Amino acid sequence: MTVPADSCPVLVLRLAGPLQSWWATNTFNRRGTQAEPTKSGVLGMLAAARGLDRGEPLGSLAELRLGVRTDVPGIPLRDYHSVSDYRGLPLPQSGVNAKGDQRPTSPPKYTHLTSRTYLQDAVFLAALAGPEAVLAQVERELRAPHFPLALGRRSCPPAQPLVLGLRPGGMEHVLATHPWQPSVAARRRAERDRRRRGGYVVAQTVSCAVTLELPDGDDLVDDVPSSFDLRNRRFTSRRVRRDLFEVPVNSEGRPSPPDPPHDPLALLDG
């Protein structure tokens, strides 16, 4: 599809790593993941880059709109754990009392079974739309973050350069025209498919699912954070439109070249 450009700049991010996990409504013992990055997860990463504590307001970050393109969906991974206290004591509940202390289990439990779900080898292109001055500040903060950055959970750091920079044309246009961002495995699959065809037929586009935050969106998503405070987490809704874009592979009709080595913790200042 052809999407007309507008004059609004957007900040483009590539969210890629061995593992990602994006918030889903569930209990402590079972932590799932959405199929794509949530707004709460992305804004949480921006807040970490800015150095905000969990209880602090998001400030100008709350002005931003989010669009997400799924370049590589990733493979679900279920991580199973059993948890016990090495001293042989009963385990606490996940809930807390008025003082913020965890209540004991009743009847006492000595083992918790927990399950965490992740996305393996996924790649998403995120476009943030908002005032240009706010986007420029966010870009500077992401290039020199105050706290380590993570793709939904602390155990999931980004494994490729995160910031692709400010782009003109508006959120929808950028997500429709920015070249496909394959992972290493997806790039190898594309090369194998090309060789299987004899090297003569090269796909010029790839179909990618897109979620756009728009005022007239026909779907409602409850992932806009009002507070990250652990004792008082609050979320509101936003309207989104879901679509399928034919994304250019790149100007040569081949997957992008391999990314340079990247150490995400090298971005930390101080």
Side-chain angles (χ1 to χ4, degrees):
M1 65 181 295
T2 301
V3 178
D6 60 39
S7 59
C8 298
V10 296
L11 179 61
V12 183
L13 308 178
R14 179 173 52 190
L15 308 178
L19 294 176
Q20 304 186 36
S21 188
W22 303 97
W23 173 84
T25 303
N26 41 36
T27 62
F28 173 79
N29 287 350
R30 289 185 178 272
R31 298 286 178 89
T33 179
Q34 301 287 0
E36 63 185 21
T38 58
K39 188 167 187 180
S40 60
V42 173
L43 290 188
M45 183 174 63
L46 304 188
R50 182 166 291 185
L52 299 179
D53 291 329
R54 281 187 172 272
E56 293 187 70
L58 292 174
S60 61
L61 299 180
E63 304 176 47
L64 302 177
R65 291 186 299 115
L66 174 67
V68 173
R69 191 181 83 193
T70 302
D71 284 30
V72 182
I75 302 169
L77 169 69
R78 179 171 175 260
D79 192 15
Y80 174 85
H81 292 271
S82 60
V83 181
S84 59
D85 190 306
Y86 74 95
R87 297 165 297 182
L89 299 176
L91 294 170
Q93 298 182 28
S94 58
V96 297
N97 58 24
K99 296 182 180 179
D101 299 323
Q102 286 182 279
R103 296 188 294 266
T105 50
S106 180
K109 291 185 178 179
Y110 294 87
T111 302
H112 273 318
L113 301 180
T114 72
S115 177
R116 305 287 187 267
T117 306
Y118 300 88
L119 299 174
Q120 302 176 87
D121 204 29
V123 182
F124 302 97
L125 199 70
L128 294 164
E132 187 170 2
V134 175
L135 295 175
Q137 180 184 0
V138 169
E139 180 179 11
R140 290 192 299 271
E141 291 164 349
L142 287 172
R143 293 188 185 278
H146 187 87
F147 295 124
L149 305 180
L151 302 175
R153 290 190 191 147
R154 290 182 183 179
S155 58
C156 304
Q160 298 178 7
L162 177 71
V163 182
L164 299 184
L166 286 168
R167 300 284 189 273
M171 179 173 65
E172 191 169 355
H173 175 77
V174 168
L175 291 178
T177 59
H178 195 92
W180 180 50
Q181 302 292 303
S183 63
V184 173
R187 186 184 297 115
R188 288 172 179 165
R189 287 194 297 270
E191 290 293 338
R192 284 198 301 269
D193 291 343
R194 186 180 66 85
R195 289 194 296 269
R196 193 176 297 120
R197 299 187 188 102
Y200 299 109
V201 180
V202 180
Q204 300 297 317
T205 62
V206 175
S207 297
C208 295
V210 176
T211 300
L212 302 163
E213 182 178 346
L214 299 170
D216 59 349
D218 52 10
D219 200 358
L220 205 61
V221 182
D222 297 315
D223 68 347
V224 183
S226 299
S227 171
F228 284 118
D229 191 321
L230 290 175
R231 300 182 189 177
N232 189 28
R233 287 187 178 182
R234 299 191 307 276
F235 298 90
T236 59
S237 302
R238 61 182 175 126
R239 289 201 166 273
V240 301
R241 191 187 88 217
R242 304 186 190 276
D243 211 330
L244 193 67
F245 287 177
E246 290 297 320
V247 175
V249 173
N250 63 22
S251 58
E252 291 79 28
R254 294 172 61 84
S256 304
D259 300 296
H262 175 59
D263 176 8
L265 297 183
L267 298 174
L268 298 177
D269 59 353

